[in-house]
Amino acid sequence: MSLIKVKGSSITGALAAVDGSALTGVSAETNSPYFDIKLGSNATNKNNNTWYYLGYSSGFGTGVNENVGSGWDNSQGYFQAPQAGRYYFYIKQGCYGSTTHSGYDIAFSKLQKASAGSTSFSDISGYPSCRSGCRPAGQGYCGDTTQYIINLASGERIIFGVHVYAGGSQTNWQWDRDDTRWGGMFLGA
């Protein structure tokens, strides 16, 4: 195959429109599954050193921004892969305590996976929880974003976990609805 280079400035006149229907070898991913979810309201009065699952644990209800391809199941609080392939996921958490203290706090995020048809979720081998933020002593906010790329079989399910460890006496944690969101998208087979 040979290609000819043509300067854009030397092209004049009307050009034929290309609608894409006759193209071959091009995969149109216009309806690739993706979703973006946030908390429906602040998740308040949560304990220190406890894993909570966004949209899945009590008090972590959701507001759906986007759900193309119906992968996110809002009534169950998990993502179910509509097709096998590689997926990108993220968790952005913003949490704070009701008081400041002299110790530090660390936020963690993780994904857990269940087989198709199952709600028995467990940690994903090779994907440990990730430190996603730190609240220095005397300050009131802890948050950051964690990102993952993983392969899923069709029907496998994912839940999105958040956790805070307080180095001081903080126990009354709140995840902020405006700063806590999670989602993902299909990258390809």
Side-chain angles (χ1 to χ4, degrees):
M1 169 188 255
S2 68
L3 298 175
I4 300 171
K5 289 185 179 182
V6 178
K7 284 183 159 183
S9 60
S10 65
I11 299 174
T12 60
L15 297 174
V18 178
D19 70 6
S21 63
L23 297 176
T24 60
V26 178
S27 174
E29 296 291 347
T30 56
N31 290 318
S32 289
Y34 68 91
F35 66 105
D36 180 58
I37 312 298
K38 68 175 191 170
L39 288 179
S41 61
N42 292 340
T44 60
N45 299 314
K46 299 302 177 187
N47 294 325
N48 181 44
N49 209 23
T50 302
W51 280 102
Y52 295 102
Y53 294 91
L54 302 166
Y56 195 78
S57 296
S58 177
F60 283 87
T62 64
V64 177
N65 292 330
E66 298 285 343
N67 189 18
V68 173
S70 301
W72 174 255
D73 186 327
N74 203 47
S75 66
Q76 299 298 315
Y78 55 70
F79 173 80
Q80 181 168 306
Q83 63 194 74
R86 183 172 291 136
Y87 287 83
Y88 162 82
F89 296 109
Y90 66 89
I91 300 172
K92 177 187 184 296
Q93 65 172 313
C95 57
Y96 52 92
S98 59
T99 61
T100 58
H101 52 80
S102 61
Y104 64 92
D105 304 314
I106 303 171
F108 294 90
S109 299
K110 71 176 175 179
L111 302 178
Q112 286 195 322
K113 182 170 70 170
S115 299
S118 173
T119 54
S120 180
F121 291 92
S122 59
D123 291 346
I124 302 170
S125 177
Y127 292 86
S129 63
C130 294
R131 181 175 172 165
S132 62
C134 186
R135 178 174 90 155
Q139 296 183 15
Y141 189 81
C142 189
D144 205 346
T145 302
T146 306
Q147 303 173 68
Y148 308 86
I149 295 177
I150 64 171
N151 290 315
L152 294 176
S154 180
E156 284 187 312
R157 298 170 173 178
I158 296 288
I159 56 175
F160 300 80
V162 293
H163 172 279
V164 175
Y165 168 77
S169 59
Q170 179 64 56
T171 58
N172 181 19
W173 286 99
Q174 174 171 305
W175 273 264
D176 186 72
R177 71 172 283 244
D178 294 324
D179 288 332
T180 303
R181 63 187 325 118
W182 59 101
M185 63 186 285
F186 178 71
L187 297 176

